[in-house]
Amino acid sequence: MTSQQHASSKCHLCSISIAHMHFLLHTIWITMTGLIPLSWAGSSETQPHSIKIEGDITLGGLFPVHSRGPAGVPCGEVKKEKGIHRMEAMLYALDQINSDPDLLPNITLGARILDTCSRDTYALEQSLTFVQALIQKDTSDVRCSNGEPPIIPKPERVVGVIGASASSVSIMVANVLRLFAIPQISYASTAPELSDNNRYDFFSRVVPPDSFQAQAMVDIVKAMGWNYVSTLASEGNYGESGVDAFLQISREAGGLCIAQSIKIPREPRPGEFDKIIKRLMETSNARGVIIFANEDDIKRVLEAAKRANLTGHFLFVGSDSWGAKISPILNQEDVAEGAVTILPKRASIDGFDQYFTTRSLENNRRNIWFAEFWEDDFKCKLTRPGIRGEGLLRKCTGKKREERIGQDSAYEQEGKVQFVIDAVYAMAHALHSMHIDLCPGSMGVCDKMDPVDGRSLLTYIREVNFNGSAGTGVMFNENGDAPGRYDIFQYQLSNTTNPGYKLIGQWTNHLRLSAEDMQWSGGDKLVPDSVCSFPCESGERKRMVKGVPCCWHCELCDGYQYLLDEFNCDMCPFNMRPTPNRTGCRPTPIIKLEWSSPWAIIPVFLAVLGILATSGVIITFIRFNDTPIVRASGRELSYVLLTGIFLIYLITFLMIAEPGTVVCAFRRLLLGLGMCISYSAMLTKTNRIYRIFEQGKKSVTPPKFISPTSQLIITFILISAQVLAIFIWFGVVPPHTNVDFDELRPPNPEYARGILKCDMSDLSLIGCLSYSMVLMVTCTVYAIKSRGVPETFNEAKPIGFTMYTTCIIWLAFVPIFFGTSQSTEKMFIQTTTLTVSMSLSATVSLGMLYIPKVYVIIFHPEQNVQKRKRSFKAVVQAATVSTHLSQKSGDKQNGETKVEPDRSQ
């Protein structure tokens, strides 16, 4: 075989082996996804487009250089910022590392960079390129025609991958890379599920996961005092996992309720966003809206809120997909005013700006997609062989002086550039540490790092700790997650010279928020409410809404209830009333009838006058004790009767005095005793008169027990019954005081009072007076029976008028006393009524029986002389004449005149 034939044979076997390898990779792809690769489904490209940078160690790169293409086409338009900026950031980082004498000295990092076209399935197909060198191919049975083994070129080996961008892409790619132990560091994927170290053990990221972002958002919501919010999520991994993380953290933290959790469909129908706003308004108290959505969905939510005339109602808290971007709020600034947004802490890398703005078509030929970027950035068209230029676009010149990035086109560094650079540096630092440990003193890659063991490299990646491109530390936890560092912004429109996003705080494992820098719709500094229920007022308990721990109804602890705890009211003890704010109980004030009260002044005035008058009568009677008028009135019984009247007046002071054991004892004793003494004496008098004149009708023999001594004995016997009953009461129930809290306990506890009183109920009080009432009624009966006796012989008629008037007074007393039992002034009214009634009855007795006698004694002493002594016979004659006159009067009333014989002869 000639050398040419030998080379041909080698080449043929090589092509066979390469074809075999590609077939195997596509078989793996179909097995994992169940889909036919897009490159097999009509695409003209049989090899993936990629950037190849030669080096001693090759890193893979995955970037969304193009957007998702229409049906049947894998890729769409070029993405300038998220695609080209980020991809150029990797190239910039490689240049910086390769030129750094202290990092991987004498080792050049290369790269194989692929386009994911923003599609997870396409990205998986492309990433199979990274694992082709790791697939073991059995070529032992393959021989050249001369029997020698074939020469197979060694495929490119990728030791680690930088990317991807979207979480869905990273999840798909991570499932393949872990099978071949290839470490992966993402610069933008934040889905919480990628923190699962069991499923994605070779995955790391230099951006914090959305679970950290969700924690920061929960902290923000709580810092603003909100406890009732809604959530909005774009359908897909980012939105749904972000909201799920927020919901989980809020449940664990407690104190935060979700009013609505709404998902925005991937392909929303017309009117879908208006329905979303309508649903949010079903729980209008939940003004706070947590939104994990893409830019387009955010914009359409704001537009729908504006159409519904709800500008300023919703308080949005946006995730990093909103961040500090202008595009979602363009032309909707008034609706977005006050929105609080979160963004991973980042910085603009000046070195990258200088690098990227100097790129041109001449000095950046390694970027195979740079020409597309150039056309899109400068709105021109490059002339390519076989392709006719479009007439509407000018022709690109490609000259630095005419077309300069950032000067002749708009340029702003994409937000994730910093993280792309940090991801590349993290991989480089891990390789550097591995090289120091495995190849000490060796220049270049030693045998122990050829090939690089993926599991060992993963260990070194998780151990890196260095200051990144923005000066912040780059490190990973046990799940491969970077620390959570976020800047918090608020979109402010009013009261500011530069409307836009203003930095109001930071979150690094805990929240630091400058509340004084925040302002809301219309420039208001007061944080709006987003609560289901407002805090209950003092003295109100919470009645929880079933299933919603942040919602409740406030119910007042009414009556004599106080707030036992947040959810329960309880009754105050009987001797207490609630405090004004109903947070506890306080002693009920204890009152008594004061001397200065109008209810006391009138009875005391009457009693004082009565005592003075009674004392005057007694003194007059004592002074003129032996005069005919005093002797004729029955001195002994008169003194007893006047003592009773005096005690009746005296009881007024005991009824008004502050209750005590002694006062209560004297109340019991004297309340009925004064009246008992008075009416016993009057009853004895009327009974004596009645018996004398009744006896005179029958016989000239005087009746028994009419002497003064007998009269006193009869009187004291009657009085002793009252005294005996009182002392029996003392023995059964000793006198004492109590405080009645039930008598003055109106619906409004502010007017509740405890009344200090003696242990005398209304019934026992009437019991004290009942015996006196019996004596009074009996005396009245005798007075009626004795009404016909001549005035010159007795006191029956004055006693009769006294008893009639007294009965009227006490008949008026009963309804007044018991009719006021439900009044809040019961104690005062009843005490006053009782004392006034007793004073009036005493005054009637004093006025009817003794004032006329005192008047004669003092002012007409000439009438106070001894008259002819009358014998009992004369009394009998007077009684007979009185009887005849009564009968004649009765006959005349019947129309007849009848003359009776004089039986006295």
Side-chain angles (χ1 to χ4, degrees):
M1 180 181 293
T2 64
S3 59
Q4 184 177 4
Q5 290 175 329
H6 181 74
S8 175
S9 175
K10 298 283 187 180
C11 182
H12 177 68
L13 285 172
C14 178
S15 63
I16 292 175
S17 63
I18 292 173
H20 173 74
M21 177 181 65
H22 277 286
F23 176 78
L24 179 61
L25 292 174
H26 282 89
T27 302
I28 293 173
W29 192 93
I30 294 172
T31 302
M32 292 191 65
T33 65
L35 300 172
I36 298 176
L38 288 171
S39 59
W40 291 12
S43 175
S44 61
E45 299 168 347
T46 58
Q47 294 294 333
H49 277 228
S50 64
I51 295 175
K52 169 63 178 172
I53 307 295
E54 296 293 339
D56 301 318
I57 298 176
T58 303
L59 302 179
L62 291 172
F63 295 92
V65 178
H66 294 87
S67 61
R68 178 194 295 259
V73 179
C75 302
E77 297 177 349
V78 68
K79 300 178 75 170
K80 295 193 297 181
E81 288 82 13
K82 289 188 177 181
I84 299 298
H85 283 205
R86 294 178 182 181
M87 189 268 294
E88 285 287 350
M90 180 173 180
L91 298 178
Y92 166 76
L94 290 175
D95 292 344
Q96 296 295 309
I97 293 168
N98 289 334
S99 61
D100 189 341
D102 298 323
L103 185 60
L104 291 175
N106 298 312
I107 296 177
T108 302
L109 285 181
R112 172 71 72 175
I113 301 175
L114 304 176
D115 179 11
T116 65
C117 290
S118 306
R119 189 191 297 268
D120 50 4
T121 53
Y122 183 79
L124 177 61
E125 178 186 356
Q126 295 291 289
S127 65
L128 294 178
T129 304
F130 298 146
V131 302
Q132 63 183 6
L134 301 176
I135 298 177
Q136 299 295 326
K137 299 176 287 295
D138 184 9
T139 57
S140 58
D141 58 344
V142 179
R143 289 290 184 271
C144 294
S145 57
N146 61 358
E148 294 180 4
I151 300 173
I152 300 175
K154 186 176 182 180
E156 178 183 54
R157 187 183 183 93
V158 172
V159 300
V161 174
I162 306 300
S165 179
S167 294
S168 57
V169 174
S170 288
I171 288 170
M172 188 73 82
V173 171
N175 283 314
V176 174
L177 297 182
R178 69 184 296 268
L179 298 176
F180 298 94
I182 299 177
Q184 175 185 1
I185 301 178
S186 174
Y187 49 84
S189 299
T190 57
E193 64 185 276
L194 286 167
S195 297
D196 187 348
N197 204 35
N198 295 320
R199 295 178 58 192
Y200 307 105
D201 46 343
F202 280 82
F203 179 84
S204 304
R205 49 186 162 190
V206 291
V207 288
D210 286 338
S211 56
F212 290 177
Q213 181 176 201
Q215 178 66 65
M217 296 171 83
V218 168
D219 291 348
I220 291 170
V221 168
K222 289 199 164 189
M224 291 188 288
W226 299 348
N227 66 5
Y228 197 51
V229 297
S230 296
T231 64
L232 269 179
S234 290
E235 186 177 2
N237 184 271
Y238 171 78
E240 293 179 50
S241 62
V243 164
D244 288 344
F246 181 87
L247 297 178
Q248 180 179 352
I249 293 170
S250 64
R251 279 194 297 267
E252 293 172 354
L256 185 60
C257 299
I258 307 302
Q260 305 258 17
S261 192
I262 302 174
K263 187 189 297 183
I264 303 172
R266 288 184 190 272
E267 302 295 336
R269 296 186 297 272
E272 186 72 38
F273 288 90
D274 295 321
K275 293 179 181 177
I276 289 173
I277 295 299
K278 188 175 181 180
R279 280 191 59 189
L280 289 175
M281 286 304 294
E282 291 174 2
T283 51
S284 57
N285 277 5
R287 296 179 63 187
V289 179
I290 312 304
I291 183 164
F292 281 84
N294 58 51
E295 297 177 28
D296 291 338
D297 287 344
I298 293 170
K299 187 176 183 66
R300 286 182 281 185
V301 166
L302 297 179
E303 290 172 347
K306 191 170 186 177
R307 283 196 300 272
N309 197 27
L310 291 172
T311 299
H313 177 78
F314 293 112
L315 313 168
F316 294 101
V317 179
S319 64
D320 61 348
S321 61
W322 185 333
K325 298 174 185 174
I326 296 299
S327 55
I329 65 171
L330 191 62
N331 300 322
Q332 311 298 330
E333 291 84 355
D334 51 346
V335 186
E337 186 177 9
V340 177
T341 60
I342 192 170
L343 199 60
K345 196 171 185 63
R346 64 187 186 185
S348 181
I349 310 302
D350 295 336
F352 177 78
D353 287 341
Q354 186 178 359
Y355 161 82
F356 191 75
T357 54
T358 58
R359 297 300 89 192
S360 66
L361 295 173
E362 287 82 5
N363 63 15
N364 199 22
R365 296 185 181 276
R366 61 183 178 179
N367 184 347
I368 62 173
W369 298 291
F370 196 69
E372 286 184 71
F373 165 81
W374 196 270
E375 289 179 329
D376 188 76
D377 197 45
F378 291 103
K379 308 301 179 188
C380 61
K381 195 67 178 175
L382 290 169
T383 303
R384 297 181 186 141
I387 300 178
R388 295 180 60 185
E390 297 181 13
L392 297 177
L393 295 177
R394 69 177 181 83
K395 183 179 179 181
C396 300
T397 64
K399 296 179 181 179
K400 286 186 179 181
R401 293 180 180 179
E402 297 178 6
E403 295 171 345
R404 292 166 296 183
I405 298 174
Q407 295 184 32
D408 300 311
S409 65
Y411 167 75
E412 183 179 357
Q413 187 179 123
E414 201 276 331
K416 293 293 194 297
V417 163
Q418 167 197 342
F419 299 110
V420 175
I421 297 171
D422 287 346
V424 178
Y425 265 88
M427 194 73 77
H429 278 281
L431 290 168
H432 183 78
S433 299
M434 175 183 275
H435 184 265
I436 292 173
D437 292 345
L438 301 182
C439 308
S442 174
M443 304 297 289
V445 179
C446 66
D447 292 339
K448 290 184 179 180
M449 288 184 65
D450 189 15
V452 173
D453 180 65
R455 293 190 180 276
S456 297
L457 179 58
L458 177 65
T459 302
Y460 284 102
I461 289 173
R462 296 291 171 85
E463 293 176 353
V464 300
N465 190 342
F466 64 96
N467 286 331
S469 56
T472 55
V474 177
M475 63 192 76
F476 303 99
N477 63 15
E478 65 277 5
N479 296 322
D481 295 327
R485 298 188 188 94
Y486 296 97
D487 285 329
I488 302 168
F489 298 90
Q490 186 182 43
Y491 186 75
Q492 298 181 357
L493 194 60
S494 305
N495 300 332
T496 178
T497 54
N498 297 312
Y501 294 96
K502 182 176 181 180
L503 183 66
I504 58 169
Q506 297 176 340
W507 191 92
T508 307
N509 296 325
H510 66 276
L511 179 66
R512 294 191 300 276
L513 196 65
S514 300
E516 63 276 5
D517 293 333
M518 301 179 74
Q519 67 176 29
W520 306 88
S521 181
D524 191 3
K525 288 285 186 179
L526 186 65
V527 179
D529 293 312
S530 182
V531 294
C532 181
S533 302
F534 291 98
C536 291
E537 298 291 335
S538 179
E540 293 181 338
R541 74 177 184 95
K542 292 180 179 179
R543 185 166 65 83
M544 304 305 297
V545 176
K546 188 176 181 180
V548 189
C550 299
C551 299
W552 58 81
H553 300 296
C554 294
E555 294 182 346
L556 179 67
C557 296
D558 56 358
Y560 289 81
Q561 294 181 328
Y562 73 100
L563 191 64
L564 178 64
D565 54 41
E566 191 177 4
F567 306 102
N568 297 290
C569 298
D570 197 11
M571 290 294 293
C572 285
F574 76 97
N575 61 342
M576 304 186 82
R577 59 177 180 166
T579 57
N581 59 8
R582 294 185 178 271
T583 56
C585 295
R586 53 180 172 160
T588 300
I590 298 174
I591 62 169
K592 60 182 181 62
L593 186 57
E594 300 292 341
W595 294 101
S596 59
S597 169
W599 297 103
I601 291 174
I602 295 175
V604 168
F605 177 73
L606 293 175
V608 169
L609 291 179
I611 288 174
L612 292 174
T614 305
S615 299
V617 171
I618 293 173
I619 292 171
T620 302
F621 266 50
I622 293 173
R623 171 70 179 79
F624 299 95
N625 188 55
D626 291 325
T627 60
I629 290 180
V630 174
R631 292 173 64 188
S633 65
R635 287 177 297 182
E636 296 79 5
L637 282 182
S638 291
Y639 287 129
V640 172
L641 198 151
L642 287 169
T643 301
I645 292 174
F646 185 88
L647 292 178
I648 290 174
Y649 285 123
L650 187 63
I651 194 64
T652 295
F653 298 94
L654 292 174
M655 295 300 294
I656 296 175
E658 181 175 348
T661 302
V662 175
V663 171
C664 291
F666 277 102
R667 276 191 192 180
R668 283 194 193 181
L669 181 63
L670 299 181
L671 181 62
L673 186 60
M675 293 179 64
C676 177
I677 292 172
S678 297
Y679 297 140
S680 294
M682 280 192 283
L683 176 60
T684 303
K685 274 193 175 190
T686 55
N687 176 263
R688 176 177 176 270
I689 293 170
Y690 174 76
R691 287 190 297 115
I692 288 174
F693 281 92
E694 284 296 312
Q695 182 69 19
K697 293 177 184 179
K698 301 175 184 177
S699 169
V700 294
T701 306
K704 299 178 180 180
F705 310 119
I706 61 173
S707 66
T709 303
S710 299
Q711 296 297 294
L712 287 175
I713 292 172
I714 292 171
T715 300
F716 284 116
I717 288 173
L718 293 174
I719 293 171
S720 64
Q722 173 82 14
V723 175
L724 180 62
I726 294 296
F727 278 99
I728 291 173
W729 188 11
F730 280 162
V732 175
V733 183
H736 62 275
T737 61
N738 60 29
V739 180
D740 189 348
F741 291 99
D742 294 325
E743 183 173 311
L744 202 54
R745 196 175 175 87
N748 187 349
E750 287 301 308
Y751 300 110
R753 299 292 185 271
I755 301 175
L756 179 63
K757 56 169 58 175
C758 291
D759 61 324
M760 294 178 67
S761 64
D762 293 347
L763 188 60
S764 63
L765 186 144
I766 296 301
C768 277
L769 299 175
S770 60
Y771 182 65
S772 299
M773 299 289 184
V774 171
L775 294 176
M776 180 184 70
V777 171
T778 306
C779 185
T780 303
V781 171
Y782 276 111
I784 293 172
K785 287 184 175 184
S786 303
R787 70 185 183 278
V789 178
E791 295 180 5
T792 56
F793 287 96
N794 67 88
E795 294 177 307
K797 289 188 177 179
I799 292 175
F801 285 123
T802 299
M803 300 318 299
Y804 304 153
T805 308
T806 302
C807 286
I808 292 172
I809 291 171
W810 287 103
L811 286 174
F813 161 78
V814 171
I816 295 174
F817 187 86
F818 290 100
T820 57
S821 59
Q822 302 301 319
S823 172
T824 56
E825 304 286 341
K826 171 186 173 182
M827 182 192 73
F828 309 124
I829 296 175
Q830 290 187 343
T831 301
T832 302
T833 303
L834 176 62
T835 54
V836 168
S837 297
M838 294 182 73
S839 294
L840 288 176
S841 64
T843 302
V844 168
S845 299
L846 189 66
M848 291 283 189
L849 299 178
Y850 294 105
I851 295 300
K853 291 179 173 62
V854 171
Y855 176 78
V856 171
I857 291 170
I858 300 298
F859 297 104
H860 296 283
E862 71 278 3
Q863 297 181 13
N864 190 9
V865 294
Q866 179 71 40
K867 294 184 179 181
R868 184 174 60 87
K869 187 175 180 180
R870 297 181 179 85
S871 64
F872 181 74
K873 184 178 179 181
V875 173
V876 170
Q877 290 176 348
T880 303
V881 172
S882 176
T883 303
H884 288 171
L885 290 173
S886 297
Q887 289 176 349
K888 289 179 180 180
S889 175
D891 291 341
K892 287 180 179 181
Q893 288 178 0
N894 293 327
E896 296 180 1
T897 302
K898 186 176 181 180
V899 178
E900 291 288 336
D902 187 358
R903 294 180 181 179
S904 62
Q905 297 178 354

